[in-house]
């Protein structure tokens, strides 16, 4: 599985063992691995990566730091319509969302594109950067809330009022967030992400780029969504030893930590089928620890606060 070395660049990895050139490594501090996660906050395929990211964080979060960056280019953020991808109408996007939901197990309701179609994705990308100005963790929480409102509740996240509502529900300083939505700091942060995306030759989303603490060594890039074991193999490759996973929390502890999760996320984290995960969650529901939230594709579970 060892990638070919190409100068001071990073290699692209896929499970078939093919590689190509990409990017120079960032500096490292603290944890031995840094992961750059290139996403589009409104991309259903990026949303489909969430279960693997949760499990990776729970088992191996002691070995890496994760940084979300907005991938793509300015043209990407000016329109959802991309003829080269066969996406010419809102109906095309709706159908893509439905297919992605069926494949990934992470619900995304394509009806939004018939009821309240989104125009330019640019403001959503700016909103992520505005939230991150209040801290890394608030930025992560805001991204999750935005996706929940978008993919599950069919809220148009290119409308400023919905972006502000997401900030309110995340617990951000809303007044500060409103200012930052219009700030040059958020714009520059997005421009920086896009510049890094270009330098690392990120052409599809989602893309993860793994770096170890030796800045002279190549990073490793993987595009798309794969089985969880693939990401563990990459961590092992970058660390040059198999990392020891931390014990998973109990299911109730998991729910208290994340509050609102999909059956698919439970299934991936605990190595269950979706049917088995659903059965386990129903046991918690009988204890009145969680409540079921049916969605268009599958269901989510919400913690019941005492």
């Amino acid at each position: 599985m060892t990638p070919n070395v190409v100068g001071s660049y990073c290699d692209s990895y896929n499970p078939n063992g093919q590689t190509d050139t990409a990017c120079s490594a960032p500096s490292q501090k603290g944890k031995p691995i840094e992961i750059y996660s290139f996403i589009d906050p409104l991309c259903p395929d990026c949303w489909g990566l969430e279960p693997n990211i949760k499990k990776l964080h729970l088992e191996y979060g002691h070995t890496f730091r994760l940084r979300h960056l907005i991938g793509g280019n300015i043209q990407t953020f000016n329109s959802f319509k991309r003829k080269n991808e066969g996406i010419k109408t809102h109906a095309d996007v709706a159908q893509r969302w439905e297919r992605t939901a069926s494949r990934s197990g992470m619900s995304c309701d394509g009806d939004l594109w018939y009821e309240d179609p989104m125009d330019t994705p640019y403001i959503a990308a700016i909103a992520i950067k505005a939230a991150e100005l209040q801290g890394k963790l608030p930025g992560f929480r805001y991204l999750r809330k935005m996706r929940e409102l978008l993919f599950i509740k069919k809220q148009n996240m290119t409308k400023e009022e919905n972006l502000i509502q997401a900030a309110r529900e995340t617990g951000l300083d809303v007044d500060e967030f409103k200012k930052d939505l219009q700030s040059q700091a958020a714009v520059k942060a997005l421009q920086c992400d896009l510049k890094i995306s270009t330098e690392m030759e990120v052409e599809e989303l989602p893309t993860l780029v793994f770096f170890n603490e030796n800045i002279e060594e190549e990073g490793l890039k993987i595009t798309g969504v794969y089985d969880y074991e693939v990401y563990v193999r990459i961590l092992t490759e970058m660390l040059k030893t198999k990392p020891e996973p931390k014990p998973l929390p109990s299911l109730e502890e998991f729910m208290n930590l994340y509050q609102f999760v999909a059956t698919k996320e439970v299934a991936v984290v605990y190595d269950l089928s979706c049917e088995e995960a659903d059965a386990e969650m129903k046991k918690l529901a009988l204890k009145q620890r969680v409540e079921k939230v049916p969605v268009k594709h599958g269901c989510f579970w919400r913690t019941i606060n005492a």
Side-chain angles (χ1 to χ4, degrees), residues 165-218:
Q165 179 60 28
R168 187 172 292 112
E169 293 188 24
T170 305
L172 297 183
D173 182 323
V174 175
D175 290 335
E176 203 62 33
F177 178 78
K178 288 179 181 177
K179 293 177 185 175
D180 289 334
L181 264 182
Q182 313 298 328
S183 72
Q184 279 302 304
V187 172
K188 288 179 180 178
L190 176 58
Q191 289 173 340
C192 179
D193 282 10
L194 298 181
K195 184 174 185 290
I196 295 172
S197 174
T198 299
E199 290 174 349
M200 294 191 179
E201 299 179 6
V202 173
E203 297 176 351
E204 298 178 43
L205 302 175
T207 288
L208 298 182
V209 184
F210 293 70
F211 297 98
N212 65 24
E213 56 193 341
N214 185 346
I215 63 173
E216 295 182 358
E217 287 195 15
E218 291 69 34

Side-chain angles (χ1 to χ4, degrees), residues 103-115:
R103 182 180 67 250
S104 71
M106 292 294 287
S107 186
C108 43
D109 194 337
D111 289 347
L112 170 66
W113 292 95
Y114 300 108
E115 299 168 7

Side-chain angles (χ1 to χ4, degrees), residues 3 10-14 17-22 201 219-223:
C10 82
D11 295 319
S12 268
Y13 168 79
N14 72 42
Q18 291 149 344
T19 61
D20 59 30
T21 61
E201 299 179 6
L220 207 151
K221 181 172 72 176
I222 180 170
T223 295

Side-chain angles (χ1 to χ4, degrees), residues 263-264 266-268 271-283 292 299 301:
T263 299
K264 177 67 175 183
V266 175
V268 169
D271 290 323
L272 304 171
S273 68
C274 283
E275 292 75 19
E276 291 169 334
D278 187 70
E280 291 300 315
M281 294 306 296
K282 285 177 179 176
K283 293 177 185 178
K292 189 173 186 176
C299 67
W301 302 85

Side-chain angles (χ1 to χ4, degrees), residues 3 7 12 21 61-62 71 86 123 187 217 221 225 249 258 265 270:
S12 268
T21 61
H62 57 290
I123 189 173
V187 172
E217 287 195 15
K221 181 172 72 176
V225 181
Y258 291 108
E265 292 178 293
Y270 290 95

